[in-house]
Amino acid sequence: MSLRPPVESTVTATPTGKSFFGHPWGLSTLFLTEMWERFSYYGMKAILLYYMYYQVSRGGLGIDKGTATSLVSIYGAALYMSGIAGGWVADRLIGARRSITWGCVLIMCAHVALAIPNGGQSSLYISMILLVLGTGLLKPNITKNVGDLYKEGDDRRDAGFTLFVMGVQIGSFLAPVIIGDLLTSPDQSNPQGNHFHWGFGAAAVGMAIGLAQYLVRGRHTLGASGKRVPNPLEPHHRKRVFSSLLGGAVALAALIGVLIATGHFSADGVVNCVSVLAIAVPVVYFIIMLRSRKVTVKERSRVLAFIPLFIAMVIFWFVEEQQFSVMARYADQQTDLGAWGFHIDPTLIQTVNPVVMLALAPVLAALWTKARRQPTTPQKFAIGLVLTGIGFAVLFLPWMMGGASQLVNPAWPLVSLALIAIGELFVNPVSLSVTTQLAPAAYASQVVGLNYASDSAAQGLIAQVSKFYSSDSSGLYFGVTGALVALVGVGLWFYAPRVQRNMGHAAHE
């Protein structure tokens, strides 16, 4: 008897004759679900750092800037690290479809917790826990659902994931405009502004819309995709697993209680612990997959090929995710937001990435679909890293020319973020596509969760490295980091043929 579960059948467009820009009709449902989820997430994240470090009299929580910056990164690390657990729940317990549904519910509740006026830090931490659990259930499984829409070897796969990522970009563009600028308008000098709870409430409404359309449209467009549990736990194993989970939760709660009672519980301690976990968990998971008897020799080769791509993803996200922490502080404190004759809301700088992505993603999607010859997957990653590194290093120039005390023209962070966004086009959608191709059948959703864990590991690193950021040394911070990332990209380009050989026929030539 084979230990490998049967591969789930490919989903096609259920309504006869309907397609979504030449792709299966079910992609439209997942596109809209992801768009609204990202609207809620990026809307919350656009204002979260400011909500944490603005003074209480300005509607914030009054947390130290450095601590707030690290906490935002650790929040992101825990959130994406939970994707591995969410993939496990889908693979072993309830399937992808129900995981996505419950993920949406928890995310909505998380934003409701933040929207409660005068909730203070208690509401912040409750929201963090709910969002970590909800995102862990949703993100890996919705990506897995997209992959299920295409047969192995379908040339539309990369283009389909690029379209899917466009849904992400639409949501992430609307979020800072509606939630950040129109509803919240962060400004430390204006005690009448900063309606943070309105913004968090709008995030909750956005997730509710996404959940409703997923439940209504999913029945007609997704067929049976994601309903089957690929690798279910045996009945006699369920009790043991649930007992272990409950015991671990009780032990963790007891440990936290003891630390609080003895005065040893601190934000820095949480930051350090999560940083270590964010890096350790993916390493352990790779070891488990490589040693598993459920992974065939061919699949093991693909897992090995995924490791250098995973490292490249960590390096990319290490730069990209700093737009919500380090670069958000740079926009708020070191950028002349009135240089163009009118005030620019600092949250609007986060619209640069989605605007560039929306403008260029269709171009690359068409290119990957129609080109007879295109760069291999590892070569695309290499190009993305070089562009991303250059984008980050750009901010060394105004620091070198004007010094640390001079506010910079908004054009500088705009150019920086635009280059990073172009780099993302070569990494993010391609990484989603290649992950669904290289994942062993028994670990399908979990490997997609591992893909998101690359973001988690990156934010764990950011939480530590960002402690060295200051206004005085910002130029060196951006310049040195960017140069190192670009050099890694160059090295990956020369290593790409070996990675491609390990990937075998699963990746595009």
Side-chain angles (χ1 to χ4, degrees), residues 123-147:
S123 290
L124 173 68
Y125 296 132
I126 291 171
S127 170
M128 285 182 169
I129 293 171
L130 291 173
L131 195 64
V132 165
L133 295 174
T135 304
L137 286 171
L138 184 143
K139 289 298 286 182
N141 295 304
I142 197 169
T143 303
K144 173 66 167 54
N145 252 192
V146 174

Side-chain angles (χ1 to χ4, degrees), residues 50-67:
Y50 305 134
Y51 175 60
M52 291 171 71
Y53 77 64
Y54 275 21
Q55 298 174 6
V56 175
S57 61
R58 297 296 188 265
L61 297 176
I63 298 173
D64 173 75
K65 289 185 180 68
T67 301

Side-chain angles (χ1 to χ4, degrees), residues 344-394:
I344 301 173
D345 193 296
T347 62
L348 289 180
I349 206 158
Q350 294 174 23
T351 63
V352 176
N353 181 283
V355 166
V356 173
M357 295 283 283
L358 287 170
L360 297 182
V363 177
L364 276 184
L367 179 63
W368 300 153
T369 301
K370 297 179 180 179
R372 293 183 179 180
R373 184 173 178 81
Q374 58 179 279
T376 63
T377 294
Q379 286 175 337
K380 291 175 184 176
F381 273 62
I383 294 170
L385 287 182
V386 170
L387 290 170
T388 300
I390 293 173
F392 211 56
V394 159

Side-chain angles (χ1 to χ4, degrees), residues 321-342:
E321 286 290 356
Q322 292 196 57
Q323 67 178 298
F324 302 105
S325 53
V326 169
M327 295 188 78
R329 284 177 60 185
Y330 186 82
D332 189 39
Q333 300 171 353
Q334 292 178 254
T335 304
D336 186 356
L337 298 174
W340 294 349
F342 55 89

Side-chain angles (χ1 to χ4, degrees), residues 24-111:
W25 186 239
L27 183 61
S28 66
T29 298
L30 302 177
F31 175 98
L32 290 171
T33 306
E34 183 74 354
M35 183 191 79
W36 284 111
E37 186 274 331
R38 291 290 87 180
F39 170 84
S40 70
Y41 173 72
Y42 284 115
M44 175 275 298
K45 204 161 186 182
I47 60 178
L48 181 63
L49 179 66
Y50 305 134
Y51 175 60
M52 291 171 71
Y53 77 64
Y54 275 21
Q55 298 174 6
V56 175
S57 61
R58 297 296 188 265
L61 297 176
I63 298 173
D64 173 75
K65 289 185 180 68
T67 301
T69 302
S70 292
L71 282 174
V72 166
S73 297
I74 282 305
Y75 184 19
L79 188 145
Y80 283 109
M81 185 165 47
S82 68
I84 297 177
W88 183 88
V89 169
D91 283 345
R92 309 301 304 272
L93 297 176
I94 63 176
R97 289 278 283 279
R98 282 194 288 173
S99 295
I100 293 170
T101 300
W102 282 109
C104 290
V105 171
L106 290 171
I107 290 169
M108 181 178 64
C109 291
H111 296 312

Side-chain angles (χ1 to χ4, degrees), residues 6 15 27 75 99 117 167-168 171-172 187 209 249 252 287 290 295 330 348 354 365 392 407 414 485 496:
L27 183 61
Y75 184 19
S99 295
V168 173
S172 60
D187 185 351
I209 295 172
L252 179 61
I287 294 172
L290 289 171
V295 176
Y330 186 82
L348 289 180
F392 211 56
L407 295 178
L414 291 179
V485 170

